[in-house]
Amino acid sequence: GGEGSGEDDETIESAPKPMIRRAIGSHYGQVPLLGSLVVDGIISGWTLPMGSISRMIRAQATHAPGHITTVGLGTYVDPTPGVGNGGAANDL
């Protein structure tokens, strides 16, 4: 499961405008209204590669040397100096 019912959610629809300013997630398929608010520019939205991030956290917890992936390279989550969005995550 996940958040939402996969259908338009009356809770999101009836929420006061300032109540929802930003969506941070990895998949908006279960909450299509929230996704459309992001696409329409009504709220800001961040999509993160949650599978890779969770595997990186797992690697740290098990003291593994790391999780090697090409997911996110060349995007705002790229840790390479000068490539990713740098400190933009602090804007969240």
Side-chain angles (χ1 to χ4, degrees):
E3 71 285 334
S5 63
E7 299 177 11
D8 284 343
D9 189 348
E10 291 177 14
T11 306
I12 293 172
E13 212 167 271
S14 63
K17 292 294 181 207
M19 185 178 240
I20 303 172
R21 297 178 308 169
R22 176 181 308 126
I24 304 169
S26 63
H27 176 64
Y28 297 104
Q30 294 294 90
V31 280
L33 183 58
L34 189 60
S36 66
L37 290 174
V38 173
V39 170
D40 294 342
I42 296 169
I43 64 173
S44 64
W46 290 74
T47 304
L48 303 174
M50 205 52 71
S52 292
I53 291 172
S54 66
R55 289 181 180 176
M56 288 177 199
I57 293 169
R58 177 192 278 166
Q60 284 181 320
T62 61
H63 304 285
H67 171 68
I68 299 173
T69 180
T70 57
V71 172
L73 294 180
T75 70
Y76 61 90
V77 295
D78 191 337
T80 308
V83 177
N85 213 2
N90 295 328
D91 296 339
L92 297 177

